[in-house]
Amino acid sequence: MAREARDDQANRILYVQTSGAEVPERSATVFFLAAAAAAMDVEVGIYFTQFGPTLLKKGVPEQLRIKKGSLGATLSHFIDQARDLGVRLYVCQPSLDLNDLKMEDLIEGVEMIGGAAFNSLALDADQVICF
Amino acid sequence: MAREARDDQANRILYVQTSGAEVPERSATVFFLAAAAAAMDVEVGIYFTQFGPTLLKKGVPEQLRIKKGSLGATLSHFIDQARDLGVRLYVCQPSLDLNDLKMEDLIEGVEMIGGAAFNSLALDADQVICF
Amino acid sequence: MAREARDDQANRILYVQTSGAEVPERSATVFFLAAAAAAMDVEVGIYFTQFGPTLLKKGVPEQLRIKKGSLGATLSHFIDQARDLGVRLYVCQPSLDLNDLKMEDLIEGVEMIGGAAFNSLALDADQVICF
């Protein structure tokens, strides 16, 4: 979704994720849909705000099971699938502060953007879909 | 909002509902706005994900009061109004699993779609509005 | 974002806020991003529904600290910044009822709109971004 890289013919979806590790049932949908979109050749980014950045903390995805009390898939499965398909991950500084996180606490490859950059991504997208 | 049925001149809104019967105060808005949009000749669908499908479980809408402790309207009122105006209701398989629901547990007329179909509906819509 | 005032060349973003004073960590993002958008000459409105109107109750913004247990900024800071930049604030009647609020309980300058007006604002906007 970066301006230098984008294909002006492609559709673009920006997802927003506001829930974090405190509600596992709300953690996988955004990666599942983002991966599905990327597989459709849509340019996809996910912006993590409010509690969302806690999903990207090193060590969390491997341990977070989507369904409480289940032995099913962990969040890692969904994140890896999305990233392998080229989904970009964004965070904002204020929400890192809110969760007492620093960029070095997060998994590799997450990009920090400010409010103006978020709004520009949103305006450039065909849809913004918020969770 | 189905491709075969849609009117290319009409506006289209896709709503997304992520909260379920566990927070009654979050249950009616989406049906209220969807009905208002359908009454404006907008083509309207609602996609239920995360906890959203619990609102569609048989027996729930008749008993769920929007405001805790009140004797006011139940969710049935809002669902019936939206459906009478042609609002379409969609669920996804993973969120059924998440809530231990099967299609036969849901009220009549709900359609199941996958992630790719959701993204296509979203890209075809004029707006996606998420609750 | 009112039709009489709008500039047809300008971008428009409509934000939606569903969380209220019960989750302070979810209260500031919408004002922060709305202010950033207004500073980019985007026409910006925020629609408060579900628990959102509780953020606009007189006396609440001055006391609500965004981060629990912190001595940091209160919500007033974010609301004032957004309003100084021309961000418009909307509520709906049903969500006032839901929170036992009346218009006179809210801070000055909030506008009440119905479901049809909300949908029209949404369709007129370039993006709808929901929290």
Side-chain angles (χ1 to χ4, degrees), chain B residues 16-88:
Chain B
V16 176
Q17 174 70 12
T18 69
S19 295
E22 79 288 354
V23 194
E25 295 90 341
R26 290 187 179 274
S27 67
T29 311
V30 74
F31 294 102
F32 172 77
L33 292 175
M40 298 159 71
D41 288 328
V42 175
E43 290 185 23
V44 182
I46 309 175
Y47 176 72
F48 295 82
T49 187
Q50 297 177 359
F51 301 113
T54 62
L55 298 177
L56 303 179
K57 188 179 177 185
K58 283 174 188 157
V60 167
E62 297 85 346
Q63 303 199 332
L64 193 73
R65 290 192 190 276
I66 307 314
K67 190 173 174 180
K68 276 177 191 164
S70 88
L71 296 174
T74 63
L75 186 61
S76 285
H77 167 74
F78 295 95
I79 294 182
D80 291 349
Q81 191 172 45
R83 301 191 74 174
D84 288 350
L85 286 160
V87 172
R88 296 178 69 164

Side-chain angles (χ1 to χ4, degrees), chain B residues 15 26 29 33 37 67 127 130, chain C residues 18-19 50 97 100 119 122 125:
Chain B
Y15 296 90
R26 290 187 179 274
T29 311
L33 292 175
K67 190 173 174 180
Q127 291 295 356
C130 303
Chain C
T18 69
S19 296
Q50 297 176 0
D97 293 344
D100 294 318
N119 285 317

Side-chain angles (χ1 to χ4, degrees), chain C residues 28-46:
Chain C
T29 311
V30 73
F31 294 102
F32 172 77
L33 292 175
M40 298 159 69
D41 288 329
V42 175
E43 290 185 24
V44 182
I46 310 175

